[in-house]
């Protein structure tokens, strides 16, 4: 069954809400704790890193949008890399996304959803059952059709912005505004160089998800025109929201106190609105995380489906079938089952660090691919071209490489082990590809 049989039902609003919905998820609510812990409770590097990571992400989005528009096929980054570098590297990208990135992100979001839900109902013993249950619920909803998945994104995006807007407005009205914002950059006992990379990898999780809208290009009505608008417009909105809401956090609580709360947004809301307000914001967080979780299931399953269509994924006969609603139900279930297994670890930060590191290896290859395509296929139809070429692609490549090298070699033993683990899981795809290639032949 070919990819072209997927129905083209998604427009600019669904694509834009998918970008915003997948990016604004858990990160803006939970990562400030990790950020200010890494800076030793100092605000400067933390607040500036939200801007730097935003610039990096916009450069990445502007760069990748050219590839997305020139190769508007279902499968996203995997298909881009396959078209640019060949089938083996393309498969390795899809393998990493299918067995590591998407299930890892789904698991991390489910864990953090369950943490907030159990805190709300005061039943901590239900954390793992709720984490698995929410993954399975999202899997079921996505089997009903791509319009259902797109509708969930639109609703969740609107709902999640409400608590953020309330915090941004009333944080500045009711906060003291007496806390330090830009100084000191880091605490005296913190190494600035290594802290930069660690803070950026934490914040890049909060920005992650932008590239995956390309995975639904085959189901968009006008991908050449709408996809770049969705990526760039969505990221600009996200960057503005992230910067302002983090200023609002600091307006209410100092950085060293934010470092002590697992959900800084809820802590700030409780100070602004009282105990009831804190609970309301927690509900908003649950909706936000649910929308992000839905987005990763929606797009991640399309990657598994594309691999199955190419007969390179074990079990491809079942995974390449569409159900009555014309969506790849078996591929949706695959991503969610692996995600459920990862969720049993209960480790939010470990899962996010592992997933983001592995993904950025291939993001950088995609950025480099824009330059490779310009050189090798100058006549390729490009509905969109990255502005200020080659400055913006080079900025994306350099920035991403700095973060990866720092995480692998300079961020401590734990970070290095997590990074190496991601590389090993990815490389397992090579013998799988060789075995499946021989089997199909």
């Amino acid at each position: 069954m070919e990819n072209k049989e997927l129905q083209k039902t998604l427009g600019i609003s669904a694509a834009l809400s998918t970008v915003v919905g997948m990016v604004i998820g858990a990160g803006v609510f939970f990562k400030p704790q990790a950020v200010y812990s890494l800076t030793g409770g100092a605000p400067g590097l933390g607040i500036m890193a939200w801007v730097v990571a935003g610039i990096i992400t916009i450069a990445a989005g502007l760069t990748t949008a050219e590839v997305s528009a020139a190769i508007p096929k279902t499968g996203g980054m995997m298909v881009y890399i396959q078209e640019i570098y060949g089938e083996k590297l393309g498969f390795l990208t899809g393998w990493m996304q299918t067995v590591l990135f998407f299930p890892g992100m789904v698991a991390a979001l489910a864990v953090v959803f369950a943490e907030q839900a159990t805190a709300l109902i005061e039943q901590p013993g239900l954390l793992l059952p709720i984490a698995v249950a929410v993954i399975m619920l999202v899997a079921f909803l996505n089997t009903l059709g791509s319009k259902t998945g797109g509708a969930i994104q639109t609703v969740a995006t609107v709902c999640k912005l409400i608590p953020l807007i309330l915090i941004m407005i009333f944080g500045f009205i009711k906060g003291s505004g007496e806390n330090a914002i830009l100084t000191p950059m880091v605490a005296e006992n913190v190494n600035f160089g290594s802290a930069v990379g660690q803070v950026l990898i934490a914040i890049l999780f909060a920005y992650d998800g932008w590239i995956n809208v390309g995975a639904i290009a085959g189901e968009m009505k006008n991908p050449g025109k709408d996809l770049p608008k969705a990526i760039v417009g969505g990221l600009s909105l996200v960057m503005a929201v992230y910067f302002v809401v983090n200023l609002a956090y600091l307006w209410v609580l100092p950085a060293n106190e934010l470092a002590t709360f697992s959900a800084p947004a809820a802590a700030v809301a409780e100070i602004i609105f009282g105990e009831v307000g804190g609970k309301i914001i927690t509900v908003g967080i649950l909706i936000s995380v649910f929308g992000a979780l839905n987005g990763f299931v929606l797009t991640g399953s399309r990657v598994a489906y594309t691999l199955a269509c190419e007969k390179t994924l074990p079990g491809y006969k079942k995974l390449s079938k569409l159900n009555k609603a014309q969506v790849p139900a078996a591929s949706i279930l695959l991503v969610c089952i692996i995600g459920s297994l990862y969720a049993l670890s209960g480790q939010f930060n470990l899962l996010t660090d592992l997933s983001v590191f592995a993904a950025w290896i291939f993001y950088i290859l995609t950025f480099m691919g824009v330059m490779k395509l310009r050189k090798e296929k100058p006549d390729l139809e490009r509905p969109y071209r990255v502005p200020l070429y080659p400055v913006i692609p080079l900025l994306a490549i350099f920035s991403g490489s700095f973060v990866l090298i720092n995480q692998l070699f300079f961020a401590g033993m734990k970070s290095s082990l997590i990074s190496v683990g991601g590389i090993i899981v990815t490389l397992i795809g090579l013998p799988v590809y060789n075995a499946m290639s021989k089997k199909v032949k």
Side-chain angles (χ1 to χ4, degrees):
M1 194 165 284
E2 300 296 326
N3 294 5
K4 66 183 180 182
E5 294 184 34
L6 288 165
Q7 294 183 328
K8 293 182 178 294
T9 56
L10 302 180
I12 180 64
S13 62
L16 184 63
S17 61
T18 298
V19 176
V20 177
M22 291 181 69
V23 175
I24 301 179
V28 69
F29 298 114
F30 299 101
K31 283 299 181 180
Q33 181 200 28
V35 168
Y36 295 120
S37 294
L38 289 165
T39 64
L45 176 59
I47 195 68
M48 292 306 297
W50 285 98
V51 178
V52 173
I55 293 169
I56 292 171
T57 306
I58 288 175
L62 286 168
T63 303
T64 306
E66 179 172 320
V67 186
S68 298
I71 311 172
K73 298 179 181 178
T74 295
M77 182 169 64
M78 178 195 71
V79 173
Y80 312 153
I81 289 181
Q82 180 175 298
E83 293 273 337
I84 298 167
Y85 300 103
E87 289 186 3
K88 185 173 284 190
L89 197 52
F91 170 82
L92 208 59
T93 309
W95 170 264
M96 177 277 297
Q97 291 180 308
T98 300
V99 303
L100 180 58
F101 177 76
F102 283 110
M105 294 297 251
V106 164
L109 292 167
V111 166
V112 91
F113 180 95
E115 286 177 354
Q116 292 305 296
T118 53
L120 198 63
I121 62 176
E122 299 181 353
Q123 295 290 334
L126 295 178
L127 193 149
L128 293 182
I130 289 176
V132 173
V134 74
I135 293 174
M136 289 299 116
L137 173 61
V138 171
F140 168 73
L141 292 173
N142 274 272
T143 62
L144 300 179
S146 59
K147 267 193 173 181
T148 303
I152 292 171
Q153 286 307 118
T154 303
V155 172
T157 298
V158 173
C159 290
K160 77 179 59 179
L161 290 177
I162 293 172
L164 287 172
I165 290 169
L166 289 174
I167 289 175
M168 285 187 281
I169 293 173
F170 289 98
F172 291 115
I173 293 174
K174 294 192 173 184
S176 68
E178 296 175 355
N179 304 318
I181 303 291
L182 297 175
T183 57
M185 290 296 283
V186 295
E188 290 183 6
N189 62 334
V190 174
N191 181 281
F192 181 83
S194 62
V196 170
Q198 289 177 281
V199 167
L200 284 176
I201 202 84
I203 294 179
L204 285 173
F205 161 74
Y207 279 101
D208 208 274
W210 54 271
I211 197 171
N212 302 311
V213 71
I216 56 170
E219 292 166 86
M220 292 179 67
K221 297 172 185 175
N222 192 349
K225 180 181 177 182
D226 292 344
L227 196 56
K229 289 181 181 178
I231 293 173
V232 177
L235 288 177
S236 298
L237 174 61
V238 169
M239 182 180 174
V241 169
Y242 279 6
F243 181 70
V244 176
V245 80
N246 275 277
L247 279 179
Y249 290 161
L250 289 171
W251 213 256
V252 176
L253 282 172
N256 63 327
E257 288 189 36
L258 288 171
T260 66
F261 292 104
S262 60
V268 168
E270 190 165 337
I271 292 173
I272 298 172
F273 304 112
E275 188 177 345
V276 174
K279 290 184 183 293
I280 292 171
I281 292 300
T282 298
V283 172
I285 291 171
L286 289 172
I287 295 171
S288 179
V289 175
F290 188 86
L293 176 54
N294 177 77
F296 280 105
V297 171
L298 174 68
T299 53
S301 57
R302 270 56 178 184
V303 174
Y305 169 73
T306 303
L307 280 181
C309 288
E310 294 176 352
K311 300 180 179 179
T312 52
L313 195 64
Y316 65 85
K317 289 182 180 179
K318 289 185 178 179
L319 295 170
S320 61
K321 289 182 179 179
L322 302 179
N323 66 5
K324 292 180 180 179
Q326 294 299 292
V327 293
S331 294
I332 290 170
L333 194 59
L334 172 68
V335 170
C336 289
I337 287 174
I338 299 173
S340 296
L341 293 173
Y342 287 168
L344 296 178
S345 70
Q347 298 294 312
F348 171 68
N349 284 315
L350 185 147
L351 289 166
T352 57
D353 288 352
L354 182 65
S355 302
V356 170
F357 177 87
W360 267 86
I361 295 172
F362 293 91
Y363 291 170
I364 292 168
L365 286 174
T366 305
F367 308 151
M368 294 168 65
V370 171
M371 305 178 81
K372 192 170 186 290
L373 279 178
R374 286 273 189 116
K375 183 179 180 181
E376 296 179 357
K377 296 183 179 180
D379 298 326
L380 181 69
E381 183 182 354
R382 292 175 173 83
Y384 162 87
R385 287 174 177 263
V386 59
L388 301 177
Y389 181 89
V391 175
I392 287 178
L394 288 173
L395 174 61
I397 292 167
F398 174 79
S399 302
S401 299
F402 166 77
V403 171
L404 291 187
I405 292 169
N406 184 281
Q407 186 75 356
L408 191 56
F409 297 109
F410 303 108
M413 182 62 71
K414 183 180 177 182
S415 296
S416 297
L417 288 174
I418 291 172
S419 304
V420 171
I423 293 170
I424 290 171
V425 172
T426 301
L427 292 177
I428 289 172
L430 288 175
V432 173
Y433 175 81
N434 292 333
M436 292 304 296
S437 297
K438 290 176 182 177
K439 186 177 179 181
V440 172
K441 288 179 181 178

